[in-house]
Amino acid sequence: MFAFIVRRVAQALIVMFVISIIGFGIKYSFGDPIREMVGINVSAAEREAYRDQLGLNDPVVVQWVRFVKQAVHGDLGRSFFYRKPATEVILKKAPATLELVIASALIIVILSVPIGIYAAVNPRSWLSRLFMGASIVGVSIPVFLTALLLIYVFAVELHWLPSYGRGPTAELFPGWESNFLSWKAFRHIILPSVALSSIMLPLFIRLIRAEMVEVLQTEYVKFAHAKGLSPTRVLMVHAFKNTLLPVITVGGVQLGIMIAYTILTETVFQWQGMGFMFIEAVERSDTALLVAYLVFVGVLFVIVNTVVDVIYGLVNPMVRVSGRK
C-alpha cells in the first residue's frame, strides 16, 4: 500500500510540474507586466531598467525556477485591480465556491443513490422510465439555461428564493464567510447549487443504475439470495458496496470538473466566488489572478484525485496488485 501511495503522489507531482509550466507561460506571455506597473508615459530606457530590476531579462529557465519558488511560498503575484496579493484574493473568494460545490455534491449524492438503485431494481416501472428520461433531458440542457429557468420560475414568478448574490453570510471561522449558518443566507445558495448539480446528477443516476444492474447479475449476489439473506441486505451490503467502486473513481474526476463549471453558475447568479472572479480577471487582463486561479484549482484537483485514488486502492486491493505488474 505504501508503494501505491508513493506512485500516486509522484504522479500528482508530475501534474503540478505541468501546471507550473502553464501558469508560468500565462504570467509571462500575456501582456506586459512593466506596462501594467508604470503605464505608457515612461521612456524605453526606464522600462528596460525596470525589466532588469525585476529579472524579466533573465533566461526563461531562471525565471521559471523563481516562479516555482515564489508559488511554493504562496506568492503568485499581485492583482493590479484589487491591489492585493493574488493568493489573498483567491483565498477570500474560495469559500463561496467551495460551499457551492459542497452543496451541489450533497444534492447529487442524496438524489442519485436512491434513484439509481430504484431504477436498477425496478427497470420496467413507469417511475424508472420517468427518471431515465429526465436524466437524458438533464444531460442535454446546459447549466446556464438551467440556471436561467430556475431564476425565472422560483425567483421571478413564485418569489420563493433570491436570484443573485450570497446574502447575509456569517463567519464560520476566521476568513470563511458561510451560507450554512442562517436560513436567510442558506436561501441564496439553493438555486445556484441546484443549477450546478444539474450537470452531474443525470450522469451519476445513470452510472449507479448501470453498475447496479451489472452487479445484480453476478453469481455472488445470486448466492446471497440463495442463502436466504433479506433482499435489503443483499442489495445494500453485497450489491451496492461493489457498485461504489467505479462511482468513487468517476466522482473524484467530476468533482474537479464541477469546480470549473462554477464559472458559468457564479456568473449567472452573481455569486462572488472564484468563478466570477475568473471572468472579471479575464475581462481586466489581470494575469496574476488568472495564474492564481489556475494553480489553486489545479492543486485542488490533484489533491482530490490523489485522495480518491488512495481510497479506491483501500477499497479495492486488486488495484494495488495490478499496479505492481
Side-chain angles (χ1 to χ4, degrees), residues 108 138-139 143 194-203 258 261-262 265:
I108 292 171
V139 171
V143 62
V194 171
L196 183 60
S197 66
S198 67
I199 310 167
M200 305 301 175
L201 180 58
L203 169 66
M258 194 158 58
Y261 268 108
T262 58
T265 307

Side-chain angles (χ1 to χ4, degrees), residues 194-215:
V194 171
L196 183 60
S197 66
S198 67
I199 310 167
M200 305 301 175
L201 180 58
L203 169 66
F204 278 90
I205 290 175
R206 301 185 72 85
L207 177 62
I208 292 174
R209 176 191 176 275
E211 293 297 330
M212 181 65 78
V213 168
E214 182 178 348
V215 170

Side-chain angles (χ1 to χ4, degrees), residues 6-308:
V6 170
R7 283 196 300 271
R8 290 297 180 266
V9 172
Q11 292 172 2
L13 292 177
I14 293 173
V15 174
M16 290 309 304
F17 171 76
V18 175
I19 291 174
S20 71
I21 294 176
I22 296 174
F24 173 78
I26 292 175
K27 185 172 184 179
Y28 289 97
S29 299
F30 291 87
D32 184 1
I34 299 300
R35 185 179 61 185
E36 294 174 1
M37 292 174 57
V38 301
I40 59 175
N41 297 321
V42 176
S43 66
E46 290 176 317
R47 287 172 180 271
E48 197 63 26
Y50 274 120
R51 295 186 69 86
D52 288 333
Q53 182 179 350
L54 296 176
L56 297 178
N57 290 329
D58 294 339
V60 175
V61 175
V62 174
Q63 294 187 53
W64 175 76
V65 172
R66 186 188 306 124
F67 169 78
V68 172
K69 288 181 179 179
Q70 292 173 344
V72 169
H73 290 88
D75 183 6
L76 294 171
R78 187 176 182 84
S79 169
F80 75 88
F81 177 78
Y82 288 96
R83 299 185 183 278
K84 295 179 180 179
T87 306
E88 181 181 334
V89 178
I90 285 287
L91 292 178
K92 184 178 180 180
K93 300 289 186 180
T97 297
L98 294 178
E99 285 198 350
L100 184 58
V101 171
I102 291 170
S104 301
L106 289 175
I107 292 174
I108 292 171
V109 172
I110 292 171
L111 294 180
S112 65
V113 172
I115 292 175
I117 293 175
Y118 178 85
V121 176
N122 306 283
R124 297 185 181 277
S125 70
W126 66 269
L127 192 55
S128 296
R129 294 176 180 178
L130 176 63
F131 286 143
M132 291 301 100
S135 67
I136 295 175
V137 175
V139 171
S140 306
I141 299 177
V143 62
F144 66 87
L145 183 57
T146 302
L148 293 175
L149 289 173
L150 290 172
I151 290 173
Y152 178 75
V153 174
F154 294 100
V156 177
E157 292 294 326
L158 298 177
H159 303 286
W160 288 356
L161 296 168
S163 61
Y164 66 93
R166 294 192 68 192
T169 57
E171 189 174 65
L172 181 62
F173 47 80
W176 188 296
E177 295 291 327
S178 177
N179 281 82
F180 294 145
L181 299 180
S182 69
W183 171 243
K184 287 186 178 180
F186 184 74
R187 292 173 71 246
H188 284 261
I189 202 174
I190 294 175
L191 291 184
S193 59
V194 171
L196 183 60
S197 66
S198 67
I199 310 167
M200 305 301 175
L201 180 58
L203 169 66
F204 278 90
I205 290 175
R206 301 185 72 85
L207 177 62
I208 292 174
R209 176 191 176 275
E211 293 297 330
M212 181 65 78
V213 168
E214 182 178 348
V215 170
L216 289 175
Q217 304 301 319
T218 56
E219 294 298 327
Y220 64 84
V221 172
K222 295 179 181 178
F223 181 71
H225 281 296
K227 287 173 62 178
L229 298 178
S230 66
T232 303
R233 180 175 177 79
V234 173
L235 190 66
M236 300 307 298
V237 176
H238 295 275
F240 182 62
K241 179 181 178 181
N242 291 281
T243 300
L244 283 178
L245 296 178
V247 174
I248 291 173
T249 303
V250 175
V253 177
Q254 296 301 325
L255 186 62
I257 294 175
M258 194 158 58
I259 294 174
Y261 268 108
T262 58
I263 293 176
L264 295 175
T265 307
E266 291 183 3
T267 301
V268 174
F269 287 99
Q270 297 293 291
W271 190 263
Q272 298 297 319
M274 293 191 302
F276 188 78
M277 179 215 68
F278 176 81
I279 296 297
E280 289 183 325
V282 171
E283 293 174 349
R284 296 162 180 158
S285 299
D286 198 335
T287 54
L289 271 185
L290 293 176
V291 172
Y293 176 85
L294 172 68
V295 172
F296 184 86
V297 173
V299 170
L300 201 60
F301 194 94
V302 168
I303 291 174
V304 169
N305 280 274
T306 303
V307 171
V308 168

